[in-house]
Amino acid sequence: MDLIIRKFSINDFDSLFSLLSDEDVMRYIEPVFTKEKTEQFLTSAGLSENPLIYAVDNDGRFIGYVIFHPFDEDSIEIGWVLNKKFWGKGYAQKLTEMLVNKTFSLNKDAIIECSADQCVTKHIANKFGFKYLGEFDGLYRFVLR
């Protein structure tokens, strides 16, 4: 598993659209994206000066993206959205480890937010020792200090 987290480029549009238009991938996130919404998301969240998301490659192939941005002055929100071909193979766990290490190197707390129905995300949060803080705006929130 050779995972690379990198900045997005405009060349990632087709792969990102394929990911965000997949009903299985988006089940617990939000309705599937149109091409227009994907373009807006890529521009505002991935290609901005201070990105909110970063592309993830495995052996040179786009497999999804990670969320990594300030949550508040003490915390960074982390997360992942992966192509379903890569589910159940340890990628989310490896990415969580990478993101937690990066967060801690910045002397920040790590925050994960997810739908109450996202069992895999909750399992990974628990496995890494995240503490459940409660439900906020319909999302479960976990912190690792």
Side-chain angles (χ1 to χ4, degrees):
M1 183 178 319
D2 184 25
L3 298 177
I4 303 293
I5 298 173
R6 62 170 175 81
K7 286 190 172 186
F8 269 96
S9 80
I10 196 69
N11 296 329
D12 293 312
F13 175 80
D14 289 337
S15 297
L16 184 61
F17 174 65
S18 178
L19 180 73
L20 297 176
S21 63
D22 185 310
E23 289 183 11
D24 292 332
V25 170
M26 300 301 284
R27 177 177 298 132
Y28 304 117
I29 302 171
E30 59 183 288
V32 295
F33 280 30
T34 62
K35 284 190 172 190
E36 294 76 22
K37 188 167 182 179
T38 301
E39 182 177 15
Q40 292 169 353
F41 180 66
L42 177 59
T43 301
S44 65
L47 299 176
S48 58
E49 186 174 331
N50 296 308
L52 305 176
I53 61 170
Y54 294 84
V56 177
D57 291 340
N58 181 50
D59 295 327
R61 294 182 324 217
F62 176 89
I63 67 163
Y65 68 87
V66 293
I67 299 158
F68 189 86
H69 62 82
F71 183 81
D72 58 31
E73 70 179 51
D74 299 320
S75 308
I76 294 177
E77 181 177 4
I78 67 169
W80 58 91
V81 177
L82 300 174
N83 181 304
K84 64 186 172 192
K85 290 187 267 186
F86 300 94
W87 292 359
K89 298 180 181 180
Y91 290 95
Q93 182 171 318
K94 178 64 176 170
L95 288 167
T96 302
E97 179 182 328
M98 293 168 72
L99 296 171
V100 164
N101 288 340
K102 179 64 175 171
T103 301
F104 285 179
S105 77
L106 299 170
N107 294 315
K108 301 286 185 179
D109 298 336
I111 298 283
I112 292 177
E113 288 192 321
C114 67
S115 159
D117 297 325
Q118 283 180 296
C119 296
V120 171
T121 303
K122 292 188 301 187
H123 172 76
I124 289 173
N126 287 326
K127 185 173 185 171
F128 276 84
F130 280 75
K131 178 183 174 192
Y132 176 68
L133 295 178
E135 190 171 338
F136 302 87
D137 298 323
L139 296 174
Y140 279 27
R141 186 176 299 161
F142 300 86
V143 65
L144 185 61
R145 295 190 159 96

